[in-house]
Amino acid sequence: ITSAKSLLFDLTVNGDLTMTGGEIELFNNTTITVTGDANLTAGTLSFKDTSAGLETLDVAGNTTLTATAGTMTVSSRMECAGDFTSTAAWTPTDGTVTLDGTTQTLSGTNFVNLTIETGTTTAVVPAAISGNLNVLSGATLDADAALDVDGNVNLGDGTASLDIGADTHTVA
């Protein structure tokens, strides 16, 4: 994708999604399902909820975000089953990133809400979470890098695990 695209209906991308410029806008209750990897290296990804809808980018593979965040609303959700990588250019203002794979590496820097839904995720670079960190039942987060959480840290029942390692973590 190299120019602006507005999505008013669900879309499945069979294979990889690559964005090298322009803007992708997801509107009310729309989902982009990507069966491969998502590589958003330039441009803007916008979740534009004008009602009580849920806009979702659901990636079966790895997600790489170096593009600008654009607008994320409270009900916006990014789901990733592979490794998740983002740089400081990715600065969402709302929404949730959910990691739902089996064994994942988290190389993300900025989140509003972060949920580890299944499997084991290893955080390998420092991350700032301005909202809540949720580790659901049966999931594990190995924090091999510092985490700065401004909201709550929520662990599911007795099967959720948070390994804080040797780094210094901040929970405000």
Side-chain angles (χ1 to χ4, degrees), residues 19-34:
M19 180 175 159
T20 59
E23 180 175 16
I24 299 175
E25 298 176 315
L26 282 79
F27 284 89
N28 304 331
N29 294 312
T30 57
T31 298
I32 297 178
T33 301
V34 181

Side-chain angles (χ1 to χ4, degrees), residues 49 51-56 72-77 94-96:
D49 180 21
S51 67
L54 175 66
E55 299 76 43
T56 304
M72 286 186 77
T73 59
V74 173
S75 62
S76 300
R77 182 173 161 125
D94 219 328
T96 300

Side-chain angles (χ1 to χ4, degrees), residues 4-27:
K5 305 293 180 202
S6 295
L7 190 63
L8 302 172
F9 52 87
D10 292 346
L11 173 69
T12 298
V13 176
N14 291 314
D16 295 342
L17 171 65
T18 301
M19 180 175 159
T20 59
E23 180 175 16
I24 299 175
E25 298 176 315
L26 282 79
F27 284 89

